[in-house]
Amino acid sequence: MTVTAPPVDQPDQLEPQPAPSARTAWLRRLVLAAASVLCGVLLYVSFPPRTLWWLALPAFAGFAWLLRGRTWKAALGLGYLFGLGFLLPLLVWTGVEVGSGPWLALVAVEAVFIALVAVGVAALSKLPAWPVWAAAVWTAGEAVRARVPFHGFPWGKIAFGQADGVFLPLAAVGGTPVLGFAVVLCGFGLYEAGRLAAEGRRTRALRGGVAAAALLSVAVPVAGAVAARGLVSDKAEDGTATVAVIQGNVPRSGLEFNAQRRAVLDYHVRETLKLAADVKAGKVPKPDFVLWPENSSDVDPFANADAAVVIDEAARAIGVPISVGGVVEKDGKLLNEQILWDPVKGATQTYDKRQVQPFGEYLPLRPLLGAINKDWTSMVRQDFSRGTQPGVFDIDGAKVGLATCYEAAFDWAVRDTVTHGAQMISVPSNNATFDRSEMTYQQLAMSRIRAVEHSRTVTVPVTSGVSAVIMPDGKITQKTGMFVPAYLVQKIPLRSSETPATELGILPEMALVLVAAGGLGWAIGAGLRGRRNADA
């Protein structure tokens, strides 16, 4: 019996198919890319207005899993995708009024810093106690991002997502660098502990020293946060002050509200007159001073008598000094200025904002941007100049530090008000430009971190909300809604003692940068030795 083999298709009759190994590799790269983006999104979800601070830990654990043992090229790509997943949704508010172009450009640049950090983390991932070195590299990346380009953009610091978290007291130990370092270290430590446990089950051999280091990466930050609670206090050291915060609201949200400058001023005067009437009626206690937000008087009261008249009316009605947020021009310079307006003497003290916002209050690369889109240059017709002196108003013996809006994101801009004697801090802001986006909640969380960092009450007067009073332990005791006129009155503690974070200033950040440099030097040296041995 003859058996005939079934016909076999000739090779030239088959559709070309990718090799199974190539297809598998492509799918694996796709999964890793998607996982990197998802870890970045998870980190974003840990930020306000949500109170899911703990999600930062699995986000960094996943980030560590993605980067362990990767080549620098793979780490660069995965880190960039992680940065996009985190920053694209976090900073979407930057495009509320100016469109998606500036938002996407900002994120594209900022994600580069995270990509470079990822390269460092991957290089360190095989060293002993690598979570410590890697967390320090993340902190070093934040330090660079807070300074360049255009004087930096610290938005998205890990510390700013921890206002409701267990790690918050660490802000009083070493400020935002130490707080952020602890969170990242704990996330990396969780991954390493899990990896070693899985390896131990597989090989039935657990390396005790390495496992202990991994567990300490988790335990030390948590224990440190618990121990640091003693640094957080609401006790009045220099008596108390009754403060009023005014939110006058704006005619409408968006950039165009500046065209209605007089209406914004009138709204804040009206709300102050309402407060004065309620004080007279005994409904609320009389404040020792009143705080208006940034841009509450974009009509220069030094150049426009009608603006000075209505501010004077409000101050005389309430009978105490008012800190007015004005836009003034002096010697040809445009200044974002806080003006202390006395009911008898008028303007007595001023503070000029020092950290002005690029692309909002001044335009870097103005000719280039004008060539790309003339509308962008028309939005900022004249650049604001920078102030040079820290802002501390002495109001009948109470010293009020001032960090205007964007300045709250910068460690130095808040700290030096305290080192210059501030017993409380005010963060006058104008968030109307960003409508009802998450921006106002992200900024409010920054102020909560600053309260704990320096053990000071922080008030946040905002044109359109959310205005708030924050105690030195970071808790919000009063707040307003958004786009409603309102006032807040509260007795607050005045404090003069300094936390370790205030006293140490930039030193903890510098120390962590040196740790990062040491770890990277070790990793590079180990890599070079490995190559020499391989060549031999």
Side-chain angles (χ1 to χ4, degrees):
M1 180 178 178
T2 303
V3 178
T4 305
V8 178
D9 290 335
Q10 297 299 315
D12 58 348
Q13 295 175 332
L14 295 174
E15 291 292 328
Q17 297 291 330
S21 59
R23 181 189 300 171
T24 301
W26 182 83
L27 287 173
R28 187 168 182 271
R29 285 195 293 269
L30 185 63
V31 169
L32 290 174
S36 193
V37 172
L38 288 174
C39 285
V41 172
L42 194 64
L43 182 58
Y44 155 70
V45 175
S46 75
F47 272 66
R50 294 156 296 277
T51 57
L52 303 174
W53 57 271
W54 51 272
L55 286 178
L57 304 183
F60 279 106
F63 193 44
W65 168 72
L66 287 162
L67 296 176
R68 179 173 173 79
R70 302 291 175 199
T71 65
W72 73 267
K73 290 182 180 179
L76 189 71
L78 292 171
Y80 196 77
L81 291 172
F82 179 87
L84 292 179
F86 172 43
L87 296 174
L88 273 171
L90 186 80
L91 302 180
V92 67
W93 52 267
T94 59
V96 167
E97 290 297 329
V98 295
S100 60
W103 162 50
L104 295 175
L106 173 64
V107 171
V109 171
E110 293 296 310
V112 170
F113 292 95
I114 295 178
L116 294 174
V117 166
V119 173
V121 173
L124 294 163
S125 63
K126 295 299 183 66
L127 293 184
W130 71 266
V132 176
W133 311 108
V137 166
W138 182 277
T139 304
E142 288 189 340
V144 174
R145 197 160 65 86
R147 291 167 173 82
V148 295
F150 312 126
H151 300 278
F153 187 74
W155 221 278
K157 271 190 170 186
I158 299 306
F160 296 150
Q162 296 295 309
D164 293 291
V166 298
F167 299 100
L168 178 60
L170 289 171
V173 176
T176 60
V178 168
L179 174 53
F181 170 79
V183 174
V184 179
L185 174 60
C186 195
F188 286 165
L190 282 172
Y191 162 73
E192 184 67 356
R195 186 186 71 82
L196 290 174
E199 182 182 280
R201 285 195 300 270
R202 186 174 63 253
T203 63
R204 297 188 179 182
L206 188 61
R207 292 172 289 168
V210 178
L215 291 174
L216 285 173
S217 297
V218 178
V220 169
V222 175
V226 173
R229 288 179 180 176
L231 298 173
V232 179
S233 174
D234 291 343
K235 181 181 178 182
E237 297 173 330
D238 302 297
T240 61
T242 300
V243 58
V245 171
I246 300 294
Q247 177 176 301
N249 203 11
V250 297
R252 63 174 182 264
S253 63
L255 292 175
E256 295 81 5
F257 95 93
N258 280 323
Q260 303 177 59
R261 297 175 298 167
R262 179 53 193 264
V264 175
L265 172 58
D266 288 343
Y267 283 11
H268 285 82
V269 169
R270 183 173 64 191
E271 195 63 23
T272 305
L273 295 177
K274 179 183 176 183
L275 168 63
D278 288 347
V279 168
K280 188 175 182 180
K283 295 180 180 179
V284 292
K286 182 177 181 179
D288 295 309
F289 49 88
V290 176
L291 302 171
W292 283 9
E294 176 189 35
N295 299 129
S296 47
S297 179
D298 279 350
V299 181
D300 184 348
F302 299 116
N304 297 274
D306 58 330
V309 166
V310 294
I311 294 171
D312 225 28
E313 177 189 3
R316 290 178 184 277
I318 194 64
V320 298
I322 302 175
S323 179
V324 177
V327 173
V328 304
E329 190 167 350
K330 294 179 181 177
D331 302 322
K333 295 181 178 180
L334 193 64
L335 300 168
N336 186 332
E337 188 168 82
Q338 287 290 311
I339 309 163
L340 187 64
W341 202 280
D342 186 84
V344 177
K345 301 176 183 177
T348 57
Q349 302 173 55
T350 60
Y351 165 65
D352 299 324
K353 186 176 182 181
R354 294 169 293 163
Q355 188 70 39
V356 294
Q357 182 182 353
F359 306 102
E361 293 173 305
Y362 80 99
L363 275 186
L365 311 174
R366 184 181 285 271
L368 175 62
L369 292 174
I372 297 172
N373 189 329
K374 291 182 179 180
D375 290 340
W376 292 348
T377 56
S378 66
M379 290 177 183
V380 185
R381 293 183 177 85
Q382 181 180 351
D383 291 342
F384 279 84
S385 296
R386 299 174 182 273
T388 57
Q389 300 298 319
V392 181
F393 284 169
D394 189 335
I395 310 178
D396 294 331
K399 294 184 177 179
V400 181
L402 298 163
T404 305
C405 197
Y406 185 58
E407 292 183 319
F410 293 83
D411 296 346
W412 65 268
V414 181
R415 176 180 177 266
D416 69 0
T417 68
V418 180
T419 58
H420 282 77
Q423 298 165 310
M424 63 160 287
I425 300 168
S426 185
V427 184
S429 302
N430 170 28
N431 298 341
T433 299
F434 306 108
D435 203 12
R436 297 181 181 273
S437 70
E438 293 182 357
M439 181 271 185
T440 193
Y441 299 102
Q442 293 171 8
Q443 190 179 59
L444 186 61
M446 292 178 192
S447 295
R448 294 178 63 190
I449 301 298
R450 300 307 183 191
V452 175
E453 182 179 10
H454 301 293
S455 194
R456 296 291 188 272
T457 299
V458 177
T459 56
V460 187
V462 186
T463 49
S464 56
V466 172
S467 300
V469 178
I470 305 165
M471 298 301 284
D473 62 359
K475 291 185 173 60
I476 297 174
T477 52
Q478 292 191 67
K479 66 178 181 179
T480 69
M482 293 186 73
F483 292 98
V484 292
Y487 66 74
L488 306 173
V489 179
Q490 185 170 323
K491 180 182 287 188
I492 62 167
L494 299 176
R495 295 177 53 81
S496 56
S497 64
E498 294 186 354
T499 64
T502 308
E503 293 176 344
L504 293 171
I506 197 175
L507 292 179
E509 184 178 59
M510 291 177 61
L512 290 169
V513 169
L514 290 175
V515 170
L520 290 172
W522 185 3
I524 292 170
L528 292 175
R529 286 191 297 273
R531 286 185 182 180
R532 283 198 298 267
N533 293 337
D535 292 340

